[in-house]
Amino acid sequence: MTRLRISSGWAAKRKYWCSLFVLGCVSLGIATLLVYAYAYACLAASAVQRAAAQRAVVVPRADSVTSEPSSHPGISKQVYVHRGQFPYLMQFARSVLAAGSEVPLHSHESMYELFFVVSGTGQVVVNDERTLLEPGSMYAVAPGTAHSMSSVENLTVVYFSWAAH
């Protein structure tokens, strides 16, 4: 008989359930296989929920976060929450677009974005429609939606993006 050693932690639990799954396939048949598959799926889902519930990100001052380059040339961002810190959230960040700078027309196949204008002025183009941006303006785009943004007067935006399910 095979002995399974169980230790704490997600990796050990996953190994344990996978071992039971294989043993069930070999010795007990399809009904046991389905029971173990269901139990493994429940364990995985609860682990993700626990991980999300146990994490916290606290940024006491915005200027305590270092700027880093964005995926658009010449534009930097301060990322407060990075991809992987919370399920589905790609990032929560702040960018300042200097007067005359522009984020070229682009789209994302599997990501939503929401932008809120904190200060400055600019414009956004979404699906060939141009709109003025000023403090208090907000726009959101769904995956596959072409959009661009340009700054007239040092445009500061706070934005977050999340993965399409």
Side-chain angles (χ1 to χ4, degrees):
M1 174 178 250
T2 304
R3 293 187 65 187
L4 296 174
R5 195 175 100 210
I6 302 171
S7 61
S8 63
W10 165 245
K13 290 176 185 175
R14 184 179 64 180
K15 188 175 182 180
Y16 172 72
W17 281 105
C18 287
S19 299
L20 286 178
F21 183 78
V22 170
L23 287 174
C25 290
V26 172
S27 61
L28 301 173
I30 193 73
T32 303
L33 169 96
L34 293 175
V35 168
Y36 286 131
Y38 177 74
Y40 180 74
C42 290
L43 179 66
S46 66
V48 168
Q49 291 169 348
R50 279 194 312 275
Q54 293 173 356
R55 294 184 180 157
V57 176
V58 177
V59 178
R61 293 172 36 125
D63 61 359
S64 68
V65 177
T66 308
S67 289
E68 59 187 70
S70 76
S71 58
H72 305 291
I75 298 172
S76 62
K77 61 184 176 182
Q78 292 174 291
V79 179
Y80 304 120
V81 178
H82 291 269
R83 181 182 201 160
Q85 287 182 291
F86 291 95
Y88 309 111
L89 185 64
M90 305 293 273
Q91 71 177 341
F92 176 66
R94 174 182 178 267
S95 280
V96 177
L97 284 74
S101 63
E102 180 178 9
V103 175
L105 189 66
H106 66 285
S107 65
H108 309 280
E109 289 306 313
S110 60
M111 186 172 72
Y112 290 89
E113 287 184 301
L114 186 142
F115 296 84
F116 180 79
V117 178
V118 176
S119 64
T121 57
Q123 38 187 310
V124 61
V125 176
V126 178
N127 291 332
D128 296 325
E129 186 175 323
R130 190 174 304 273
T131 304
L132 175 66
L133 295 174
E134 55 190 10
S137 297
M138 186 279 302
Y139 76 95
V141 292
T145 305
H147 59 286
S148 69
M149 184 171 36
S150 60
S151 176
V152 174
E153 175 192 327
N154 291 347
L155 184 65
T156 302
V157 294
V158 173
Y159 61 97
F160 66 96
S161 55
W162 63 100
H165 303 333

